[in-house]
Amino acid sequence: VSLAVTGALHMGEPTTLRAADGVITELGPDVEVQPADEVLDGSRLALLPGLVNGHTHAAMTLMRGYGDDLPLRTWLEDRIWPVEAKLTDDDVYWGTRLACVEMIRTGTVRFWDMYWHMPAITRAVHDAGVRAAVAQPLVDFVGDAVELRERAVELLDATDDPLVTPCLGPHAIYTASESLLRWTAELAHERDAPVHIHLSETAQEVADCVAEHGVRPVEYLDRLGLLTPRTVLAHCVWCTDDELALIATRGATIVTNPSSNLKLAVGAVFPYVAARARGVSVGLGTDGAASNNGLDLLQEVKLLALLQKHATGDPAALPAHEAWDVATGRLAGTLGSTGRIAPGQAADFVLVRAEAPELTPGDLVTNLVYAASGSVVDSTVVAGRVLMRGGRVPDESDIRAEALGRARALGTAADATAEKSEALPQVGDHHGRY
Ligand SMILES: [Zn+2]
């Protein structure tokens, strides 16, 4: 299977790209289309690497707008957990498909997911054609720890889809016991599996960790063997300089989620400048659609850059081109993308409408970071497959209808407000499920 993208702007020049078997084979102004090639007309479009969403809970699109503007604990206990207790494989499948449509539309080619019903996620990712590293949350403050562990081992072998990477997802240090975290570290080492975990999201988490274990969260993870080059840490808002230095030494990756941190009012800003100064690999994530509420990395990257400038009092902090490198995964190899378009690289890229008003005039990358949203993306290609062409994702309306139907049945859709308020008194029944 081969693809030719003709006449797209690359480094400011009309360029033709050819890809075969998922890999870019040729790139240049004189490259010729071959008879068997599927052709994507790239004229008036700019060719760019796809974006990498380093932390999300894709199926939470089903809970978009359900329980906004509540304190974290109330939001989780009264809204999110009761709904999650009812989710079926099919709910998660369609929620993930909806997330994939949104990500494809806004130029994301790869995402790191953590959510329940992992086989359904894997199926959805496969059907959508994007790349994903997927993990089922590991939590054990109630439930059968043995069964949970057996299941986690099974899930590592659950797919042979080359676009899907099964991971281990200990949810957080306050939801997974020390014994479960140690077990996860051993299994990850044995199987060379990536580990995806929330860390240092709130001051309370840090205080509890110090009280219980005598050390801050990063040192605690390191003591358990969980701080390795395979580890992806979501948030790290409350990390000290010493913790950042330890993360850099161990080669772990931090994924920052500015919208989610702001919306849930975690009370601090991820210390990006300090982290990079110490050599930490950093990626960008949206977190789930219930706490963002969108999956558009072109909105997230602007917030990333602006927030760092604001927090440091330095407009030169995190310049646009560096923010772009964070969003394409170029500063975090573990996330799996090189952020480069060249022969030999995976054929994962986007075409943006170079003549869009918000990209005119000025530098393309600077405009993408500061002026654009995901709506400038015209086409998205993953592993040489065209997932969106001319702003259209096949099956998009069917997927939207299915997901909306699921959300209505779950009582999370906005138009189900009346039923929702009646259903609320019952949510206490589900407390403590996790
Ligand atoms: Zn999260």
Side-chain angles (χ1 to χ4, degrees):
V1 183
S2 59
L3 171 72
V5 180
T6 56
L9 288 170
H10 180 59
M11 310 284 184
E13 299 295 328
T15 302
T16 292
L17 175 153
R18 289 192 68 244
D21 301 323
V23 176
I24 299 171
T25 52
E26 296 178 83
L27 182 72
D30 305 321
V31 170
E32 284 179 19
V33 177
Q34 299 301 313
D37 290 347
E38 177 187 358
V39 177
L40 186 55
D41 179 3
S43 49
R44 301 148 69 109
L45 303 173
L47 175 63
L48 290 151
L51 303 170
V52 178
N53 191 341
H55 177 69
T56 190
H57 312 279
M60 291 187 89
T61 49
L62 296 176
M63 286 159 253
R64 194 195 319 268
Y66 179 65
D68 288 333
D69 314 324
L70 292 172
L72 179 61
R73 205 72 207 168
T74 313
W75 175 72
L76 279 174
E77 291 183 1
D78 292 354
R79 297 296 176 95
I80 301 304
W81 290 348
V83 173
E84 288 187 341
K86 294 190 287 185
L87 288 177
T88 63
D89 280 359
D90 283 349
D91 290 330
V92 169
Y93 175 85
W94 289 108
T96 307
R97 287 298 303 271
L98 182 65
C100 289
V101 168
E102 186 180 351
M103 288 192 270
I104 290 164
R105 290 195 64 85
T106 52
T108 293
V109 294
R110 178 192 296 267
F111 67 101
W112 281 64
D113 199 53
M114 184 198 291
Y115 211 57
W116 311 102
H117 303 268
M118 183 168 142
I121 300 171
T122 302
R123 200 156 46 88
V125 168
H126 173 84
D127 292 349
V130 293
R131 295 186 197 265
V134 298
Q136 175 136 324
L138 292 165
V139 295
D140 66 347
F141 58 86
V142 291
D144 183 343
V146 175
E147 195 190 339
L148 175 89
R149 293 177 189 197
E150 283 169 359
R151 186 82 182 122
V153 175
E154 270 172 36
L155 288 171
L156 284 180
D157 296 317
T159 178
D160 50 13
D161 186 333
L163 300 188
V164 181
T165 308
C167 306
L168 293 167
H171 173 266
I173 58 171
Y174 55 90
T175 43
S177 67
E178 186 165 339
S179 133
L180 180 60
L181 292 171
R182 275 190 201 282
W183 176 85
T184 304
E186 278 163 30
L187 182 62
H189 176 72
E190 233 168 73
R191 300 290 306 271
D192 197 24
V195 174
H196 186 180
I197 186 169
H198 295 98
L199 198 78
S200 278
E201 184 175 2
T202 62
Q204 188 66 48
E205 176 187 340
V206 176
D208 291 348
C209 183
V210 171
E212 204 175 326
H213 307 291
V215 288
R216 295 177 66 90
V218 172
E219 212 178 313
Y220 175 58
L221 272 199
D222 191 46
R223 183 200 277 179
L224 303 178
L226 261 183
L227 208 58
T228 79
R230 292 183 305 274
T231 308
V232 171
L233 309 166
H235 302 305
C236 290
V237 167
W238 289 90
C239 284
T240 61
D241 284 357
D242 285 350
E243 288 181 291
L244 295 172
L246 184 55
I247 291 169
T249 304
R250 297 291 185 257
T253 297
I254 296 176
V255 171
T256 181
N257 305 270
S259 295
S260 169
N261 293 160
L262 287 164
K263 185 162 181 258
L264 295 173
V266 299
V269 173
F270 165 62
Y272 174 89
V273 176
R276 286 299 295 163
R278 278 156 190 79
V280 177
S281 297
V282 179
L284 181 64
T286 58
D287 214 342
S291 55
N292 183 307
N293 293 2
L295 307 177
D296 180 353
L297 282 171
L298 282 171
Q299 293 189 32
E300 204 68 35
V301 70
K302 176 174 183 175
L303 207 48
L304 167 75
L306 299 193
L307 195 54
Q308 292 303 322
K309 296 171 196 305
H310 180 71
T312 56
D314 176 9
L318 191 38
H321 280 254
E322 186 178 340
W324 181 250
D325 285 348
V326 176
T328 59
R330 216 173 164 162
L331 303 186
T334 298
L335 295 182
S337 287
T338 60
R340 294 179 56 223
I341 294 179
Q345 299 288 330
D348 299 350
F349 52 82
V350 299
L351 295 164
V352 306
R353 293 182 291 109
E355 296 173 4
E358 58 269 54
L359 297 179
T360 309
D363 174 72
L364 176 63
V365 166
T366 305
N367 286 341
L368 283 167
V369 172
Y370 292 142
S373 71
S375 67
V376 299
V377 178
D378 176 272
S379 301
T380 300
V381 175
V382 175
R385 269 184 67 203
V386 183
L387 304 183
M388 176 169 78
R389 181 193 286 262
R392 289 181 53 83
V393 178
D395 302 335
E396 176 178 335
S397 59
D398 293 346
I399 292 165
R400 181 184 170 276
E402 278 286 352
L404 182 58
R406 300 267 157 191
R408 283 185 175 138
L410 289 164
T412 58
D415 52 2
T417 307
E419 296 146 45
K420 192 171 69 184
S421 51
E422 269 173 77
L424 265 179
Q426 299 164 17
V427 299
D429 300 349
H430 301 275
H431 280 197
R433 179 183 156 88
Y434 301 108

